[in-house]
Amino acid sequence: MIYITRRESFNAAHKLARPDWSQEKNTEVYGKCANPNWHGHNYNLYVTVKGEINPETGFLVDLKWLKQIINVNVIDKVDHKNLNIDVDFMNDKLASTENLAIAIWDILWSHINESDAQLHSIKLYETENNFVEYFG
Ligand code: NI
């Protein structure tokens, strides 16, 4: 078994706030991310797939193919968008890094598992210092 990772980046706006809580409570729980007038993050997404090397190509997967799958199904839908408003797969969810990582897994796994490889993990950095990992 061998693992390979493709990194993609996107910029997106969001706000973390529960509508059923007061602004005070949201600020207490979510800090700056509860700012009512939105703010942005520069996200870094690491998609790791695993499998066996194709003896003919020497590749696990063609990274051009993986890049395309990630871009068409995820990056094009979130880049320069508002995660709370513009992104259909985040509609009914709080726009936390945790929820976003799980949503990205749910979108990508079937596309990737159609190939000879399997999705191993989604690693999503919201900032340089904070990231989430999801293994399904
Ligand atoms: Ni934030």
Side-chain angles (χ1 to χ4, degrees):
M1 185 76 76
I2 195 157
Y3 298 73
I4 195 164
T5 301
R6 171 75 193 178
R7 180 175 78 99
E8 296 290 339
S9 304
F10 60 95
N11 310 312
H14 82 156
K15 167 174 72 175
L16 288 178
R18 294 191 60 94
D20 55 333
W21 288 355
S22 66
Q23 184 58 43
E24 291 67 35
K25 170 85 172 172
N26 278 312
T27 301
E28 186 191 317
V29 173
Y30 297 120
K32 287 181 175 176
C33 280
N35 175 28
N37 292 328
W38 319 103
H39 63 281
H41 293 284
N42 299 319
Y43 291 91
N44 278 300
L45 170 64
Y46 294 79
V47 177
T48 300
V49 304
K50 63 185 173 186
E52 301 300 335
I53 298 173
N54 178 325
E56 197 175 31
T57 60
F59 289 166
L60 167 57
V61 292
D62 181 347
L63 284 171
K64 289 194 300 294
W65 169 84
L66 185 57
K67 175 188 172 171
Q68 171 87 350
I69 292 286
I70 300 167
N71 273 278
V72 168
N73 295 289
V74 176
I75 304 299
D76 291 352
K77 295 181 177 169
V78 294
D79 190 32
H80 288 71
K81 299 286 169 58
N82 183 320
L83 298 174
N84 296 70
I85 296 172
D86 300 325
V87 179
D88 56 357
F89 62 79
M90 292 301 291
N91 262 347
D92 51 349
K93 303 182 183 91
L94 270 163
S96 66
T97 315
E98 291 88 332
N99 283 337
L100 186 54
I102 291 170
I104 291 171
W105 169 284
D106 288 343
I107 290 166
L108 289 181
W109 81 266
S110 62
H111 293 284
I112 288 166
N113 289 11
E114 272 172 20
S115 75
D116 293 332
Q118 292 171 287
L119 182 56
H120 174 67
S121 68
I122 297 295
K123 191 188 287 189
L124 184 61
Y125 281 73
E126 186 181 71
T127 69
E128 226 174 278
N129 299 321
N130 298 334
F131 67 90
V132 163
E133 283 176 289
Y134 186 61
F135 299 90

